[in-house]
């Protein structure tokens, strides 16, 4: 527990340093708590970067310049051991929104002069008192939609500025009961095992039966902009998981995860990429593409009664579409 607490405190100081920085001081703020060869993963068009100076110049500096009075509004904060490396590495996870006044252009998106909220999920690996590795997932299309520049056809789920857990217990700044974390990771792994062994020939009815084994019926799937959120198993089957399986099953390849962990009633994972798929037509209302495309994904979960009941999902949608030949950011200039 003491290792988790020191790692949590370090990441909170890191976040506070970012909050106090401006575009001129952000590089020094990032360097304060990160290793010199810090490995940072970000969404398209940022991808992988190394070192505080590069991360500041590539992502944080321009973003802070665009968003006046930027603040972080976390809904989940937790730490745990990565079960994928034999419980050797400590990771701290934060999820919520980055909020500011969208006053200057960013990535070709025209500013609205209004509040903009961008969903984020951040995995930080802490070692020897430094952040040595970060996966920073954020929902750029959410900013586009809020600024009135929606690049997508109508989505199957609901577009929302998404709330945190209904129990409001996601901010775990202090120690938690280890038994709760073990129950959560067991629920996550049961769901993953079910996905690997399911009979996909049964269609939507079989999918609903499968989900009921590891999910509560009042599940909420908080998906990314372009797909949206959906509530209850039947609507999730109709509005996301069914279309996903129907249109992305060709060439489906699971590439694995980099980190999978849990603390308390919350847990999750990320991959880089998790999946490689071929869009056979219709997914996100888009035409078919022959190009295999990667899905970099974060899934964060809330466990209740031994099953999963809330799921926050982040997908690098812009990279997924770019690999199919659709450069959404380039189109922003003409909107």
């Amino acid at each position: 527990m003491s290792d988790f607490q020191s790692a949590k405190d370090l990441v909170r100081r890191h976040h506070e340093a970012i909050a106090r920085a401006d575009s001129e001081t952000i590089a020094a703020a990032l360097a304060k708590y990160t290793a010199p060869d810090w490995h940072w993963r970000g969404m398209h068009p940022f991808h992988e970067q190394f070192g505080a100076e590069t991360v500041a110049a590539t992502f944080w500096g321009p973003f802070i310049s665009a968003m006046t009075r930027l603040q972080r509004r976390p809904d989940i904060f937790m730490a745990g051991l990565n079960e994928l490396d034999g419980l050797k590495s400590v990771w701290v996870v934060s999820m919520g929104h980055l909020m500011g006044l969208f006053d200057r252009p960013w990535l070709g998106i025209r500013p609205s002069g209004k509040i903009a909220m961008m969903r984020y999920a951040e995995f930080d690996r802490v070692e020897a008192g430094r952040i040595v590795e970060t996966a920073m997932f954020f929902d750029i299309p959410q900013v586009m939609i809020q600024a009135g520049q929606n690049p997508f056809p109508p989505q199957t789920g609901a577009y929302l500025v998404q709330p945190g857990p209904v129990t409001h217990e996601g901010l775990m700044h202090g120690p938690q009961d280890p038994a709760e974390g073990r129950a959560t990771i067991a629920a996550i792994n049961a769901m993953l095992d079910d996905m690997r062994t399911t009979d996909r020939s049964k269609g939507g009815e079989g999918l609903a039966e499968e989900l009921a084994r590891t999910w509560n019926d009042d599940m909420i799937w908080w998906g990314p902009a372009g797909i949206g959120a959906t509530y209850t198993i039947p609507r999730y089957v109709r509005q996301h998981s069914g279309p996903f399986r129907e249109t992305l099953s060709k060439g489906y390849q699971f590439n694995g995860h980099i980190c999978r962990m849990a603390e308390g009633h919350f847990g999750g994972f990320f991959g880089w990429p998790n999946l490689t798929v071929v869009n056979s037509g219709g997914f996100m209302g888009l035409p078919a593409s022959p190009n295999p495309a990667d899905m970099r994904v974060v899934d964060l979960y809330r466990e209740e009664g031994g099953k999963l009941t809330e799921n926050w999902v982040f997908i690098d949608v812009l990279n997924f579409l770019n690999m199919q030949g659709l450069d959404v950011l380039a189109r922003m200039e003409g909107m």
Side-chain angles (χ1 to χ4, degrees):
M1 283 300 173
S2 60
D3 288 341
F4 286 1
Q5 200 58 49
S6 63
K8 286 181 179 181
D9 292 344
L10 174 72
V11 171
R12 292 182 73 188
R13 291 195 299 271
H14 173 63
H15 290 169
E16 290 166 2
I18 293 171
R20 292 192 298 268
D22 57 28
S23 59
E24 299 297 322
T25 61
I26 185 61
L30 293 174
K32 190 171 183 180
Y33 298 107
T34 59
D37 58 349
W38 178 35
H39 182 188
W40 184 90
R41 296 177 175 92
M43 302 296 88
H44 177 84
F46 306 105
H47 305 287
E48 294 183 81
Q49 308 293 334
F50 294 87
E53 289 279 352
T54 304
V55 176
T58 304
F59 172 69
W60 277 111
F63 187 62
I64 289 172
S65 295
M67 299 289 176
T68 303
R69 300 292 294 272
L70 182 69
Q71 63 175 238
R72 184 184 299 256
R73 302 178 63 86
D75 296 304
I76 293 175
F77 187 84
M78 61 183 174
L81 297 173
N82 182 7
E83 74 164 18
L84 300 181
D85 65 5
L87 305 177
K88 294 178 182 177
S89 58
V90 175
W91 291 76
V92 179
V93 178
S94 174
M95 187 211 81
H97 289 83
L98 299 172
M99 187 191 84
L101 297 168
F102 190 8
D103 285 342
R104 282 162 289 280
W106 184 57
L107 299 176
I109 310 168
R110 298 188 306 276
S112 66
K114 302 176 182 179
I115 287 176
M117 300 186 74
M118 184 170 72
R119 301 171 70 224
Y120 80 91
E122 178 181 330
F123 282 67
D124 292 306
R125 180 165 67 90
V126 176
E127 186 178 285
R130 290 278 173 173
I131 298 169
V132 298
E133 183 178 357
T134 295
M136 182 78 179
F137 284 66
F138 36 86
D139 199 336
I140 296 171
Q142 184 188 31
V143 177
M144 299 177 186
I145 294 172
Q146 290 174 62
Q149 299 155 66
N150 187 350
F152 302 126
Q155 58 191 37
T156 52
Y159 172 76
L160 301 167
V161 173
Q162 299 177 4
V166 68
T167 57
H168 299 282
E169 60 181 3
L171 296 177
M172 294 173 282
H173 295 150
Q176 305 296 309
D177 182 353
E180 292 178 353
R182 289 193 292 269
T184 299
I185 202 71
I188 292 171
N189 286 331
M191 177 271 300
L192 293 173
D193 290 342
D194 235 16
M195 288 178 63
R196 297 187 188 104
T197 59
T198 187
D199 180 0
R200 298 196 175 196
S201 67
K202 294 183 179 180
E205 183 177 341
L207 178 54
E209 293 175 359
E210 170 202 320
L211 291 166
R213 292 194 290 268
T214 55
W215 293 85
N216 290 309
D217 182 64
D218 62 347
M219 65 166 291
I220 308 177
W221 191 84
W222 301 108
I227 301 173
T230 186
Y231 173 43
T232 74
I233 288 177
R235 295 298 172 89
Y236 174 61
V237 170
R238 184 192 309 173
Q239 296 174 349
H240 175 64
S241 60
F244 183 97
R245 289 194 177 184
E246 290 170 10
T247 60
L248 300 180
S249 59
K250 181 181 177 182
Y252 181 96
Q253 176 180 312
F254 175 62
N255 301 310
H257 300 143
I258 291 175
C259 175
R260 193 184 306 153
M261 52 76 69
E263 186 178 33
H265 294 290
F266 297 84
F269 51 75
F270 81 92
W272 195 268
N274 308 46
L275 308 172
T276 301
V277 297
V278 175
N279 182 6
S280 61
F283 184 68
M284 296 182 63
L286 299 170
S289 169
N291 301 333
D294 293 337
M295 278 195 167
R296 302 164 174 168
V297 184
V298 160
D299 277 88
L300 295 179
Y301 301 91
R302 181 173 69 86
E303 173 270 340
E304 184 176 289
K307 291 186 176 183
L308 304 177
T309 202
E310 287 191 87
N311 182 196
W312 295 264
V313 179
F314 297 76
I315 301 174
D316 192 348
V317 171
L318 298 184
N319 182 66
F320 174 69
L321 297 177
N322 194 59
M323 293 184 71
Q324 297 175 63
L326 176 57
D327 188 340
V328 173
L329 293 177
R331 296 177 66 190
M332 286 290 98
E333 298 177 3
M335 292 186 68

